[in-house]
Amino acid sequence: MHGWNGRILRVDLSESKVSIQRFEADFALKFIGGRGFAVKILWDELKPGIDPLSPLNKLIVAAGPLTGIPGPSNGKLVVAGKSPLTSGYGDGNLGSLAAVHLRKAGYDALVVEGKADKPSYLYVEDDDVSILSADGIWGETTFKAESKLKEVHGRNTGILVIGPAGENLVRYATITSQEGRAGGRTGMGAVMGSKKLKAIVFKGTKEVPLADPENHKKLVKESYSDIESKENYTFWIRQGTMATIEWSQENSVLPTFNFREGVFEFSRRIDGYAMEAMKIKRRGCPNCNMLCGNVVIDSERRESELDYENVAMLGSNIGLGHLGKVSVLNRMADEYGIDTISLGSNLAFAMEATEKGLLKDGIEWGDFEGAKALMEDIVYRRGNGEILAEGVKRASEKLGGGSETWAIHVKGLEVSAYDCHTVPGMALSFGTSPIGAHHKDAWVIAWEVKTDRLGYTKDKVDKVLEFQRIRGGMFETLVACRLPWIELGFELDWYPKMLKTATGVDITLNELINTVADRVYSLIRAFWVREHGEKWSREMDYPPTRWFKEPVTKGPFKGGKLDMEKYDKLLEIYYNERGWDERGIPRQSTLNKLNLGEVTNELSKYVSLSP
Ligand code: PTT
Ligand code: SF4
């Protein structure tokens, strides 16, 4: 096989056992890699109903056939498992040298199962795999732990690490790398922590075998030049995703005061231009020539790497209009290894609960020192932090008082930074995202605000599906960064071409974004449904209640909110197009058409399937 190593590394921490599983071309072609491999393994190997924080869960680190070989922006990895936040399928995507070294060590994926009897880390150098003691790094921040591991194993390594949030099983703890790359906002850091696994260090010295190295090299050279020739390249290099603050404000979708509003009075103080005034350098993922990590000096004179989501959720959403202070919160989140989106949502939830008299010893809107202290309480599970470490869904169940209306999540995962009172297509994207409310799969909002914005039209469903197929299907299986395409217009045709020179196999764009992507989506949906059995209902795909019940009170869309009946119609069209029934469950005929016949048999043990 070319392009794929054909090997999955397996580590059982309970048994201290390491093994290698080989796979053949049929598995590779059916699921491609990344999210495709992850969901297939989780579907086959996890019993429904297991506690995601128990040794029975599995942590998967999965690459794809483009990962880590020469090629633009492909130093990315998928981390996946059953999510402690949603109890459904969870994954995340992060850029790290670990992606390159995993592949160079001769593997396409790593599956970690069981639980170590004491804090440990994994060292993988080609075929030598050791489970080592984490004495001296357990309890440390992600930055310190990574730096200590580099002292031991050298700089030419790729390291995935958790911080105290993961160790303390905060349900939205992330996995971090390179002081600013963070992934697995569905709580993959907590899954790692539950296994007493502090870090995974990869060092690979081999080359991934390519089918046509000469033409691959040529193609890669051309593709890098193409990216640099794009019109928006220079501005991207300046602001990266931070340009979205200004855009969101202009379009009334900037999450403000716990998603009550879409505009923030002090947006100019936290936008891309404010960031440029503080920026000292750029960082980013391996193999990328459009590095988007904006490194600034924060109010405590430390470096902090900013992205749109982080700044919106820790800025406008908590009423904090000071970028230096927002940057401190962002850097602390990276050090502790906690997701900025869920953190921002939980802080805002606590601020609103305080305002409404539901939380004792609470916190006021925009209180920077209070936010720092509460973040630490969340990380170490102290006081109110103990409630908020569980995420807003569980916190609202505990606090009551109608707080479930303004607990902003879908399926338990806090919503990323787009207010959807007045963008129903984006609300559908959050509702139907395969991991809970995340924009990764279908960021339709930029298209939506330029069309019949307030309408509930079929073309919105079609756009969600198109984007889910490209973004959540193709990019998450290949695995490569989607930003060259979505931000600069790097054409999708490059990917099947690079796949051909890497693997020797002719897989068309159509196959990638239709057949493979739809297979992966239906399998992820089957995973969720199996967890819930007959209790599964279409309500799982509803966005937060606030967007239906409480209109925005500011900006050009004042008075705007979502309409439940019309949203339901969108959902109906969506299910039809996916070949799922009115409950949102894949039909037998759909599973069979997608070559998932074995899933039909298993799923029908838990829920009645429509023909
Ligand atoms: C992603 C989510 C995002 S999406 C952001 S900012 W974004 C937040 N980043 C966090 C962070 O930083 N620190 C932290 N402690 N928590 C954070 N939580 C949030 O996590 C990131 C980029 C970005 S920046 C985006 S959009 C793109 N995402 C991609 C994706 O999902 N798939 C893909 N094939 N390519 C992508 N390219 C872009 O990568 P999750 P990174 Mg991230 C510091 O992890 O769980 O997927 O959630 O990976 O290497 O940092 O790159 O405006
Ligand atoms: Fe990483 Fe940004 Fe480059 Fe994508 S564009 S590979 S997120 S640095």
Side-chain angles (χ1 to χ4, degrees), residues 59-75:
L59 176 77
I60 300 183
V61 178
L66 292 188
T67 309
I69 61 173
S73 308
N74 64 18

Side-chain angles (χ1 to χ4, degrees), residues 72-76 95 181 236 283-293 481-484:
S73 308
N74 64 18
K76 290 255 173 195
R181 310 274 104 202
W236 174 261
R283 277 202 301 244
C285 317
N287 293 1
C288 179
N289 67 335
M290 49 182 280
L291 297 180
C292 68
C481 178
R482 60 171 188 261
L483 297 183

Side-chain angles (χ1 to χ4, degrees), residues 274-276 278-281 294-298 302-306 323 327:
M275 181 278 298
E276 281 194 73
M278 295 161 58
K279 184 167 168 174
I280 52 156
K281 61 183 172 189
N294 295 304
V295 183
V296 299
I297 297 295
D298 67 30
R302 300 267 313 274
E303 289 185 8
S304 175
E305 189 178 322
L306 299 181
L323 193 56
S327 307

Side-chain angles (χ1 to χ4, degrees), residues 182-309:
R185 54 176 306 252
T186 45
M188 293 307 120
V191 174
M192 222 165 132
S194 72
K195 299 189 173 307
K196 290 258 178 282
L197 185 63
K198 177 72 179 177
I200 306 170
V201 183
F202 293 104
K203 182 168 182 170
T205 62
K206 308 179 213 173
E207 289 304 323
V208 178
L210 299 185
D212 184 354
E214 275 313 302
N215 275 319
H216 188 78
K217 201 168 153 192
K218 215 167 126 239
L219 206 55
V220 166
K221 198 167 168 230
E222 288 166 14
S223 63
Y224 276 122
S225 310
D226 189 58
I227 289 174
E228 281 170 25
S229 73
K230 297 293 183 200
E231 200 187 329
N232 197 29
Y233 183 78
T234 316
F235 189 61
W236 174 261
I237 292 297
R238 279 173 50 193
Q239 293 203 356
T241 59
M242 280 294 291
T244 314
I245 294 275
E246 188 187 17
W247 179 88
S248 289
Q249 171 77 2
E250 276 171 7
N251 289 289
S252 303
V253 296
L254 185 65
T256 303
F257 297 120
N258 196 24
F259 289 85
R260 264 186 200 157
E261 307 289 348
V263 287
F264 181 50
E265 195 185 347
F266 303 115
S267 69
R268 296 307 301 263
R269 297 184 189 169
I270 58 167
D271 72 7
Y273 296 97
M275 181 278 298
E276 281 194 73
M278 295 161 58
K279 184 167 168 174
I280 52 156
K281 61 183 172 189
R282 289 189 292 134
R283 277 202 301 244
C285 317
N287 293 1
C288 179
N289 67 335
M290 49 182 280
L291 297 180
C292 68
N294 295 304
V295 183
V296 299
I297 297 295
D298 67 30
S299 293
E300 293 179 352
R301 311 297 308 151
R302 300 267 313 274
E303 289 185 8
S304 175
E305 189 178 322
L306 299 181
D307 266 308
Y308 166 71
E309 302 290 330

